[in-house]
């Protein structure tokens, strides 16, 4: 490799960010940390700055940025501390490679800035495509950005598809099989779901993730958002994607071909594998993840998801089929409902009800620009707040 890639990590203090830093540290000849970015976790970012010495550290919260500047004073580190959403966009545009790992709608604009700069974008922020898929994919094409999926499922699909195929039909693909574990409540009695706690919802049986995505996994909204993301990433019709429950989280997804063949990507449930794959693509590098030992693997099982148990999955598929701004509304309402559940203001089962009610009240339109997308997002959050207040 001729030179180091300048790497910006949006959401460096989260689980994806930490795994990205782990992979990058294994290959210092390939990657230079250009910028580390977080919302307000300045203490965690402070530790990262001292270790990785990026050119920039960005915090969205101005008070947190001031605290970080004070902490770094006299440390002998040349890192410049920036603040605010515009700074996120600036360091995204300047890098060679951007890990887009900010959770939720907050990741849309900086990820889009990386795309418009024509950068290599490692997409872990599925909300960018859920909220603004058409506009986002048009920007990827217009600015010739390289978009590589990081979610283990989409990365698996990417690995199982032939390179440079212009469409699934041209590649001879019959169906994409999108797998999901079913989370911690796959076998919980339905009558017990209203009583589950935040701790129980965040205790994923296979993956180590942040609270928001853990709750989304428990409701299977995460799989619904991934369904929407997959349709945009792979230009897939609704009929070309099927969701399967796979409790072991070993088969990360599969592609079924017209001749009856099925290609699957298997691996440990560790995000460093898809991260390393995308960071080095089209090469392969060490990720720090052990290979599977097939003599100890045990059973691999699959089943269709029960929409009565996972109504959020059904809502996401419904929103995807509806098109327009439905998915933008659903994503915004879900972020607010999950936040309310994490704050113990509503019950676990209220998340799906609030999402459904918000979607039912939404006037579906085709958004022609990002400002319209953000306005739809804001209105959906307002409706969700009303529904939460009426519940709490």
């Amino acid at each position: 490799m001729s030179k180091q890639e300048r790497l910006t990590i949006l959401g460096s203090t989260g689980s994806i960010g930490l795994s990205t830093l782990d992979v990058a540290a294994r290959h210092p000849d390939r990657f230079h940390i250009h910028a580390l970015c977080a919302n307000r976790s300045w203490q965690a970012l402070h530790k990262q700055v001292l270790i990785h010495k990026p050119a920039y550290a960005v915090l969205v919260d101005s008070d947190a940025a001031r605290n970080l500047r004070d902490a770094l004073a006299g440390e002998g580190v040349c890192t410049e501390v920036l603040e605010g959403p515009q700074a996120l966009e600036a360091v995204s545009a300047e890098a060679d490679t951007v890990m887009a790992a900010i959770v939720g709608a907050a990741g849309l604009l900086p990820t889009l800035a990386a795309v418009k700069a024509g950068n290599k974008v490692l997409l872990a922020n599925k909300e960018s495509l859920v909220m603004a898929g058409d506009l986002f994919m048009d920007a990827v094409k217009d600015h010739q950005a390289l978009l590589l999926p990081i979610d283990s499922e989409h990365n698996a699909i990417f690995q199982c598809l032939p390179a440079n195929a212009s469409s699934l039909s041209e590649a001879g693909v019959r169906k994409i099989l999108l797998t999901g574990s079913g989370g911690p409540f796959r076998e919980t009695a339905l009558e017990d779901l209203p009583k589950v706690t935040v701790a129980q919802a965040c205790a994923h049986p296979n993956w180590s993730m942040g609270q928001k995505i853990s709750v989304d996994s428990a409701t299977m909204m995460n799989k619904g958002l991934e369904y929407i993301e997959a349709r945009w990433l792979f230009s897939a019709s609704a009929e070309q994607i099927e969701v399967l429950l796979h409790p072991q989280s070993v088969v990360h997804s599969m592609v079924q071909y017209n001749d009856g063949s099925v290609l699957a990507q298997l691996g440990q449930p560790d995000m460093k594998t898809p991260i390393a794959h995308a960071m080095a693509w089209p090469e392969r590098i060490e990720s720090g993840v052990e290979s599977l030992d097939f003599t100890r693997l045990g059973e691999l099982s699959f089943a269709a998801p029960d929409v009565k148990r996972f109504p959020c999955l059904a809502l996401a598929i419904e929103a995807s089929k509806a098109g327009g701004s439905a998915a933008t509304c659903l994503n915004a309402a879900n972020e607010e409902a999950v936040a309310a559940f994490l704050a113990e203001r509503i019950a676990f089962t209220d998340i799906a009800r609030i999402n459904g009610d918000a979607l039912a009240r939404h006037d579906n339109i085709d958004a022609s620009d990002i400002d319209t997308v953000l306005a739809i997002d804001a209105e959906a959050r307002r409706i969700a707040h009303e529904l939460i207040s009426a519940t709490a």
Side-chain angles (χ1 to χ4, degrees):
M1 189 168 179
S2 58
K3 68 181 183 71
Q4 289 179 309
E5 292 181 40
R6 294 174 300 166
L7 174 64
T8 284
I9 304 177
L10 302 172
S12 68
T13 60
S15 60
I16 297 293
L18 293 172
S19 292
T20 303
L21 285 170
D22 184 284
V23 174
R26 295 171 187 274
H27 305 278
D29 57 320
R30 299 184 65 109
F31 304 105
H32 167 70
I33 306 301
H34 177 67
L36 297 176
C37 310
N39 183 18
R40 61 173 64 91
S41 302
W42 70 267
Q43 295 99 329
L45 195 58
H46 176 230
K47 293 177 183 178
Q48 292 180 345
V49 167
L50 294 179
I51 295 170
H52 300 283
K53 299 177 174 58
Y56 300 99
V58 182
L59 285 154
V60 176
D61 184 83
S62 58
D63 289 337
R66 183 177 62 253
N67 289 336
L68 180 59
R69 288 192 194 97
D70 292 343
L72 288 174
E75 296 274 17
V77 177
C78 296
T79 299
E80 182 178 354
V81 179
L82 306 176
E83 62 186 70
Q86 292 77 18
L88 291 179
E89 296 179 42
V91 297
S92 297
E94 292 172 358
D96 300 310
T97 300
V98 175
M99 171 57 77
I102 293 175
V103 176
L108 173 60
L109 292 181
T111 305
L112 195 57
V115 166
K116 289 182 176 180
N119 290 335
K120 177 180 176 181
V121 179
L122 314 182
L123 187 67
N125 173 260
K126 62 180 67 67
E127 291 82 2
S128 293
L129 286 174
V130 171
M131 293 176 65
D134 202 5
L135 297 172
F136 191 91
M137 293 306 292
D138 282 349
V140 170
K141 181 179 179 180
D142 291 345
H143 298 277
Q144 299 182 325
L146 175 59
L147 186 67
L148 296 170
I150 295 299
D151 277 344
S152 64
E153 296 82 1
H154 303 94
N155 184 266
I157 294 163
F158 180 80
Q159 293 192 53
C160 292
L161 288 172
N164 303 319
S166 61
S167 69
L168 294 180
S169 297
E170 181 186 288
V173 172
R174 180 176 294 159
K175 190 175 289 187
I176 288 170
L177 302 174
L178 190 67
T179 61
S181 70
F185 305 134
R186 182 174 51 86
E187 296 179 341
T188 301
L190 294 179
E191 60 269 22
D192 292 336
L193 290 178
K195 299 175 287 187
V196 301
T197 66
V198 169
Q200 289 172 323
C202 291
H204 195 283
N206 301 332
W207 296 91
S208 175
M209 305 180 293
Q211 282 192 315
K212 197 270 181 181
I213 193 172
S214 294
V215 175
D216 280 349
S217 180
T219 65
M220 282 201 79
M221 175 59 85
N222 194 49
K223 201 55 51 183
L225 298 179
E226 289 174 0
Y227 173 96
I228 298 169
E229 182 184 8
R231 289 195 62 187
W232 287 114
L233 281 172
F234 307 112
S235 300
S237 67
E239 294 72 29
Q240 288 176 310
I241 304 180
E242 180 181 350
V243 176
L244 287 176
L245 289 185
H246 172 52
Q248 296 82 15
S249 297
V250 170
V251 177
H252 297 298
S253 276
M254 299 175 279
V255 175
Q256 190 178 74
Y257 285 87
N258 292 333
D259 61 5
S261 299
V262 179
L263 299 187
Q265 190 267 335
L266 285 70
Q268 302 283 3
D270 191 318
M271 286 304 298
K272 290 195 290 291
T273 297
I275 288 169
H277 173 264
M279 286 176 71
W281 186 86
E283 300 176 51
R284 298 273 182 170
I285 59 174
E286 173 62 43
S287 68
V289 179
E290 291 185 9
S291 298
L292 289 174
D293 182 347
F294 283 88
T295 65
R296 301 174 61 187
L297 199 54
E299 179 187 41
L300 299 180
S301 59
F302 303 90
D306 179 2
V307 294
K308 291 183 179 179
R309 178 178 297 279
F310 302 115
C312 282
L313 173 61
L315 287 171
I317 293 174
E318 174 190 330
S320 179
K321 291 178 178 179
S325 56
T328 307
C329 166
L330 181 62
N331 178 73
N334 182 67
E335 287 190 17
E336 299 303 323
V338 170
F341 169 70
L342 289 171
E344 301 183 340
R345 296 183 60 203
I346 62 173
F348 178 75
T349 47
D350 288 330
I351 296 172
R353 181 182 57 78
I354 288 166
N355 288 341
D357 289 349
L359 200 57
R361 289 174 56 175
H362 175 64
D363 294 325
N364 198 12
I365 64 169
D366 288 323
S368 58
D369 53 56
I370 291 298
D371 287 340
T372 303
V373 170
L374 296 177
I376 293 165
D377 177 88
E379 174 62 12
R381 290 175 193 275
R382 185 193 65 78
I383 292 170
H385 287 158
E386 286 185 4
L387 294 168
I388 291 165
S389 296
T391 302

